Amino acid sequence: MDLHDYSEISKAAERGRNDFVRLGLALLFIVGAVIYSTTLGHISLPMMVAAGIGAYMAMNIGANDVANNVGPAVGSKALTMGGALVIAAVCEAAGALIAGGEVVSTIRSGIIDPSLIPDKAAFIWIMMSALLAAALWLNVATLVGAPVSTTHSIVGALLGAGVMAAGFGIANWGKVVQIAASWVISPVMGGIVAAGFLYFIKRTITYQSDMRAAAARIVPVLIGLMVGVFAAYLMLKGLSKLWKVGFVEALLGGAGLGVVSYLVLKPVIARRAARSENTKQAINALFTWPLIMSAALLSFAHGSNDVANAIGPLAAIVDALQTSGSEIGASAGIPLWVMLVGALGISVGLALFGPKVIRTVGNEITELDQMRAYSIAMSATVTVILASQLGLPVSSTHIAVGGVFGIGFLREHLKNRYAIMIAQIKAHHPEDDQPAIDAFITSFTAASIEQKGQMLKDLKQRMKSLQDPAHFSKRERKELRQVYKTELVKRSLIKRIAAAWVITVPASALMSAAIYLVLQQLGF
């Protein structure tokens, strides 16, 4: 055994110790939630079990779902992993505690009919089964690095336990069809919107010969647009439980803030652009702070909305255990301790187990820089706003991941198209005139997109008028024109993530049904 083997063994042991520490801290948080639930004056085994499962679910939401908010910023290196974890943890907790709401729906998304639930005991078992099954499925998805929808996880779990308790008639199958439709609608819309933003940036900035001047004109517009869209998104989604704002009012408010941001930032961006080099890397740096702010705001909005996936069933169980009578309410109040379990659990789960899915979203699907990450962040907000107004079923997780794939496929398309242009240039020059080919390609690379098109048109026309002076054989010319497809998106991840999305609802439903049967047999 050589030194390299000892080094590998040492690294594996260190990883094992780190995993053990993370697992220990997670268990400590769950035990803490269980112990605290016994100090509330109503001690019962179902309450203690529900508190532990709720804490477990909240951690899994933090470990899996939050990656969509900070993954692109980390992948583009606008944020370090440590910085992203701190910002997301603080903003997720703040969103849950400040804007998480005082009342939640007891039956998430109307997936089952509460009037068909046999009794309050069955209701408690359904909620507990759904909470545990959704948490287990999210745990499995996190282990394999697949970002999945926490909402779909809890919806599928409610469906499975509900059907097991009262039969197939309890399910709202129309909602199930909408969820299935969102598997396609969400990533496609997210990918198209993200690719559209990136293509606009390329056409107006990076394809221009003077990128600094173009950036001084366009970047303030893009940042102003981002401020406006995020402000509207925050009013409609992140603060909706504190402050009810209509769609038109949110758009007008966002537009006002966007215009103010544009006016304030325009001279600042102009000065920074003037001091920068005329390179893509320098222009990318102008998007760093907007990306950091977007990660924070997306995390805040996520905490205010998706904390209900963890605390909704827990709050429903607590409400059922602490109220007399057999009636099942459509909504339940949220005790402060339940909200704290959700808020802190999301932050703890993110800090302990979040990096794996963050790396999948930010680094493994395709290479990201700040411009690409900006496009994904815009897609995550614009698509949700548009879809909600059009009544389309979408998942924020699927939108964000679809945006990353959309960026990658656009990069592939543009790179392959550029390779075709280079092949055309070579095919329209004599083979013994390499200096002329090199000079043309240098000028072509530095030209704007409009100039590139004109240069190719002029070259083809000139060669045609000279009756093709190139000395290539047909076989050589075919080889010159052949463009090998460049793949910038990891295809294996497409299959893995798509499979995880498709089986989320049935997997969590089957788990929940099995857990319900066990709880029913235990009868506590």
Side-chain angles (χ1 to χ4, degrees):
M1 186 177 291
D2 57 22
L3 289 175
H4 176 73
D5 294 327
Y6 281 114
S7 175
E8 290 300 314
I9 292 172
S10 177
K11 289 179 182 178
E14 181 65 27
R15 286 193 296 269
R17 283 194 294 271
N18 291 337
D19 291 341
F20 183 77
V21 170
R22 284 195 292 269
L23 181 60
L25 291 173
L27 289 173
L28 187 63
F29 176 73
I30 293 172
V31 171
V34 172
I35 293 173
Y36 188 78
S37 71
T38 65
T39 67
L40 303 171
H42 185 87
I43 302 175
S44 68
L45 183 58
M47 179 79 80
M48 295 167 63
V49 172
I53 297 173
Y56 176 51
M57 175 62 171
M59 284 194 299
N60 279 290
I61 290 175
N64 193 286
D65 216 25
V66 180
N68 306 309
N69 304 326
V70 298
V74 172
S76 68
K77 296 181 174 57
L79 275 173
T80 62
M81 181 67 77
L85 292 175
V86 171
I87 289 173
V90 171
C91 292
E92 287 279 342
L97 292 172
I98 295 171
E102 298 177 352
V103 176
V104 295
S105 170
T106 58
I107 304 295
R108 181 72 178 175
S109 300
I111 196 70
I112 58 176
D113 184 355
S115 67
L116 298 180
I117 296 175
D119 50 44
K120 185 176 283 189
F123 175 76
I124 293 172
W125 293 335
I126 289 172
M127 289 295 145
M128 203 174 292
S129 302
L131 204 54
L132 180 55
L136 286 170
W137 172 246
L138 286 174
N139 203 159
V140 171
T142 302
L143 286 175
V144 300
V148 297
S149 169
T150 57
T151 301
H152 289 184
S153 299
I154 195 69
V155 164
L158 282 169
L159 180 67
V163 168
M164 187 58 65
F168 287 94
I170 196 174
N172 183 342
W173 295 107
K175 283 285 185 181
V176 177
V177 171
Q178 286 186 350
I179 289 171
S182 75
W183 297 336
V184 177
I185 295 172
S186 298
V188 169
M189 285 187 68
I192 290 173
V193 174
F197 271 106
L198 181 61
Y199 188 65
F200 175 79
I201 292 171
K202 287 181 173 294
R203 286 292 301 256
T204 57
I205 300 178
T206 59
Y207 286 171
Q208 302 299 314
S209 54
D210 189 349
M211 287 187 281
R212 291 182 301 178
R217 292 192 309 272
I218 302 301
V219 172
V221 175
L222 293 172
I223 296 177
L225 181 62
M226 181 180 231
V227 170
V229 169
F230 269 77
Y233 180 80
L234 203 60
M235 283 185 273
L236 289 170
K237 298 293 180 182
L239 300 173
S240 59
K241 296 181 180 68
L242 290 178
W243 179 29
K244 291 293 182 183
V245 178
F247 179 71
V248 176
E249 291 86 348
L251 285 187
L252 290 175
L257 289 172
V259 170
V260 171
S261 300
Y262 167 78
L263 295 174
V264 171
L265 292 174
K266 186 176 181 180
V268 177
I269 298 297
R271 287 194 296 270
R272 285 196 60 188
R275 294 195 301 266
S276 302
E277 297 179 1
N278 191 40
T279 63
K280 183 180 177 182
Q281 184 178 3
I283 304 305
N284 255 313
L286 300 176
F287 290 87
T288 298
W289 277 105
L291 274 176
I292 294 173
M293 295 303 298
S294 74
L297 290 174
L298 282 172
S299 296
F300 182 90
H302 179 269
S304 68
N305 278 294
D306 277 36
V307 70
N309 289 322
I311 65 170
L314 178 56
I317 293 169
V318 172
D319 183 70
L321 289 172
Q322 293 183 341
T323 57
S324 59
S326 59
E327 186 178 348
I328 299 169
S331 61
I334 306 175
L336 179 60
W337 75 272
V338 172
M339 184 63 79
L340 284 171
V341 166
L344 295 178
I346 288 175
S347 298
V348 170
L350 171 66
L352 295 179
F353 306 107
K356 184 163 189 174
V357 182
I358 289 174
R359 278 190 285 269
T360 297
V361 175
N363 299 104
E364 295 182 11
I365 296 174
T366 192
E367 184 182 349
L368 297 178
D369 58 20
Q370 287 94 321
M371 294 179 191
R372 297 166 195 160
Y374 165 91
S375 302
I376 295 165
M378 289 297 291
S379 173
T381 51
V382 170
T383 306
V384 169
I385 292 173
L386 287 175
S388 63
Q389 291 308 118
L390 295 173
L392 298 174
V394 293
S395 162
S396 58
T397 297
H398 297 180
I399 290 169
V401 176
V404 179
F405 279 115
I407 292 297
F409 286 126
L410 176 66
R411 291 180 61 220
E412 283 187 6
H413 170 70
L414 295 177
K415 194 171 186 68
N416 291 329
R417 193 173 71 173
Y418 185 77
I420 291 172
M421 291 180 182
I422 296 299
Q424 288 176 340
I425 291 170
K426 291 179 179 179
H428 287 83
H429 278 86
E431 65 174 332
D432 56 355
D433 198 3
Q434 189 61 42
I437 294 175
D438 294 340
F440 190 94
I441 290 177
T442 300
S443 300
F444 183 79
T445 303
S448 67
I449 190 166
E450 291 82 5
Q451 292 169 333
K452 284 183 171 71
Q454 188 60 45
M455 289 173 72
L456 283 176
K457 184 178 179 181
D458 292 344
L459 177 65
K460 291 177 183 178
Q461 189 64 37
R462 186 169 69 250
M463 291 300 102
K464 186 176 181 180
S465 65
L466 293 175
Q467 296 182 343
D468 192 12
H471 305 301
F472 299 132
S473 66
K474 287 184 178 180
R475 182 181 61 81
E476 290 171 331
R477 188 177 298 282
K478 184 177 180 180
E479 289 175 355
L480 277 174
R481 289 178 176 175
Q482 184 178 6
V483 178
Y484 296 99
K485 183 174 177 59
T486 302
E487 291 190 356
L488 301 177
V489 177
K490 196 171 181 180
R491 263 55 176 180
S492 61
L493 275 177
I494 299 177
K495 298 176 183 177
R496 188 173 82 193
I497 292 174
W501 287 353
V502 170
I503 66 175
T504 288
V505 171
S508 58
L510 289 172
M511 285 183 185
S512 184
I515 294 169
Y516 179 85
L517 282 177
V518 172
L519 291 178
Q520 192 178 40
Q521 291 299 317
L522 293 174
F524 63 85

